[in-house]
């Protein structure tokens, strides 16, 4: 089977959690791609002439042959269906309920916990920045994150659902917003986030970010 031409449009600093999720998915599938960047701070993605234009004018944007798709969880689901086992590695659990739960976790991380995202931006994770103590709203969001993550990982395993899935990387990044800033979270969750961060696909993305920062 011939492999399609794949382009992944990214924000220029490689610090987006959503770009990371798609990049990790491509790495896990063993799919090579051309990386192209767009400067969000300069509004390049809002210009009509942007070559990566799609329905939402957002990154990440995946281009495969003549098909374009944005929104990170939609992309990872598409990749898992188009490049399916047994030839390709899985991004989501086999079990239908676990797969639905993984998608729920992804949707939750993208739509909730705004105080954490605001007070612990991904510069904390990828650039080593340190931020002031959390506000009351930030503490409340952090407690919610830890309570839910603690419940999801109450089984004591290294991954959410036995085998690794893409939701593990997404959850680890959210937890690392706190861990890498020095905020106190349960040791079990900190260990989980640290373990997930050592995955080769995640480390490759972190290296891209470090290269841009350097």
């Amino acid at each position: 089977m011939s492999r399609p031409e794949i382009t992944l449009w990214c924000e220029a600093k490689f610090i987006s959690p959503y770009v990371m999720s798609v990049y990790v998915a491509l790495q896990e599938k063993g799919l090579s791609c051309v990386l192209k960047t767009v400067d969000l701070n300069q509004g390049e993605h809002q210009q009509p002439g942007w070559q990566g234009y799609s329905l939402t004018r957002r990154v990440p944007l995946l281009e495969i042959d003549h098909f374009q798709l944005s929104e990170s969880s939609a992309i990872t689901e598409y990749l898992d269906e188009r490049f399916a086992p047994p030839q390709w590695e899985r991004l989501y659990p086999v079990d239908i309920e676990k797969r639905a739960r993984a998608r729920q976790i992804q949707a939750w991380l993208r739509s909730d916990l705004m105080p954490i995202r605001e007070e612990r931006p991904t510069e904390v994770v990828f650039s080593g920045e340190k931020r002031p103590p959390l506000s009351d709203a930030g503490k409340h969001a952090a407690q919610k994150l830890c309570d839910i993550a603690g419940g999801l990982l109450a089984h004591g395993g290294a991954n959410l659902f036995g085998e690794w899935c893409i939701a593990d990387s997404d959850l680890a990044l959210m937890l690392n917003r706190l861990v890498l800033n020095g905020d106190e979270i349960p040791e079990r969750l900190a260990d989980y986030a640290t373990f997930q961060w050592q995955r080769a696909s995640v480390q490759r993305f972190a290296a891209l970010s470090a290269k841009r920062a350097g």
Side-chain angles (χ1 to χ4, degrees):
M1 180 186 298
S2 62
R3 298 197 177 197
E5 295 183 5
I6 301 176
T7 298
L8 177 62
W9 286 89
C10 314
E11 46 78 31
K13 294 182 179 180
F14 290 100
I15 60 173
S16 164
Y18 315 119
V19 170
M20 188 194 89
S21 188
V22 175
Y23 180 86
V24 166
L26 289 166
Q27 290 287 307
E28 294 290 340
K29 290 287 186 183
L31 295 168
S32 60
C33 67
V34 174
L35 297 176
K36 294 186 178 181
T37 60
V38 56
D39 192 331
L40 302 184
N41 292 332
Q42 297 297 321
E44 288 182 4
H45 58 306
Q46 298 294 346
Q47 302 303 315
W50 177 41
Q51 293 182 2
Y53 174 78
S54 74
L55 292 176
T56 58
R57 295 197 186 189
R58 281 154 56 107
V59 295
L61 171 67
L62 186 78
E63 292 184 287
I64 295 186
D65 297 329
H66 300 294
F67 179 65
Q68 296 182 339
L69 185 66
S70 58
E71 305 306 323
S72 58
S73 59
I75 295 171
T76 56
E77 290 179 30
Y78 166 74
L79 288 172
D80 212 32
E81 292 178 4
R82 175 161 178 173
F83 302 98
Q87 182 177 356
W88 314 93
E89 295 296 324
R90 290 187 182 276
L91 300 178
Y92 291 90
V94 176
D95 179 81
I96 189 170
E97 280 80 21
K98 290 180 179 179
R99 189 160 66 247
R101 184 72 71 207
R103 289 168 170 166
Q104 178 189 11
I105 292 168
Q106 285 189 298
W108 168 59
L109 292 170
R110 286 157 173 73
S111 61
D112 199 359
L113 307 172
M114 182 58 74
I116 297 178
R117 287 185 277 158
E118 290 178 343
E119 298 178 36
R120 298 292 182 266
T122 51
E123 284 85 352
V124 168
V125 177
F126 296 111
S127 304
E129 292 187 11
K130 300 297 182 183
R131 296 299 173 107
L134 291 166
S135 66
D136 288 343
K139 291 177 182 177
H140 179 78
Q143 187 62 55
K144 180 178 182 180
L145 170 62
C146 290
D147 287 347
I148 294 175
L152 290 167
L153 294 164
H155 51 68
N159 303 307
L160 284 165
F161 306 108
E163 296 295 325
W164 174 90
C165 76
I166 191 65
D168 281 302
S169 294
D170 290 347
L171 179 58
L173 189 147
M174 184 63 78
L175 288 168
N176 270 330
R177 293 173 186 261
L178 302 173
V179 173
L180 296 177
N181 195 73
D183 298 302
E184 291 189 12
I185 72 168
E187 183 177 3
R188 170 75 185 89
L189 298 183
D191 289 345
Y192 164 82
T194 300
F195 173 76
Q196 294 295 333
W197 214 247
Q198 298 311 308
R199 197 167 183 88
S201 55
V202 176
Q203 284 296 300
R204 291 187 193 110
F205 183 81
L208 287 174
S209 179
K211 183 177 180 180
R212 286 303 173 104

